[in-house]
Amino acid sequence: MRLELRLAFTEDAPVIWEMQKIAFRGLLERYHDYDTSPANQSLDQLRLRCS
């Protein structure tokens, strides 16, 4: 298995957003932390982090 790390750019945001929702969904369902969970973050909020 090959692993590559690279800097994320704004155009990567949709893919990262989907991965983030999947990765944090279980914690969101368990703790109901809708204000702070990355699973509940909007695509626009993520784009701001990537820029």
Side-chain angles (χ1 to χ4, degrees), residues 11-30:
E11 61 267 13
D12 299 318
V15 174
I16 296 169
W17 185 54
E18 289 298 328
M19 291 173 22
Q20 180 174 285
K21 290 192 305 183
I22 292 167
F24 288 95
R25 182 182 302 136
L27 291 173
L28 178 63
E29 291 171 356
R30 182 175 184 169

Side-chain angles (χ1 to χ4, degrees), residues 13-48:
V15 174
I16 296 169
W17 185 54
E18 289 298 328
M19 291 173 22
Q20 180 174 285
K21 290 192 305 183
I22 292 167
F24 288 95
R25 182 182 302 136
L27 291 173
L28 178 63
E29 291 171 356
R30 182 175 184 169
Y31 295 110
H32 305 282
D33 55 342
Y34 298 104
D35 294 332
T36 60
S37 175
N40 205 36
Q41 188 176 48
S42 73
L43 181 55
D44 288 334
Q45 289 171 318
L46 179 66
R47 281 190 173 124
L48 286 173

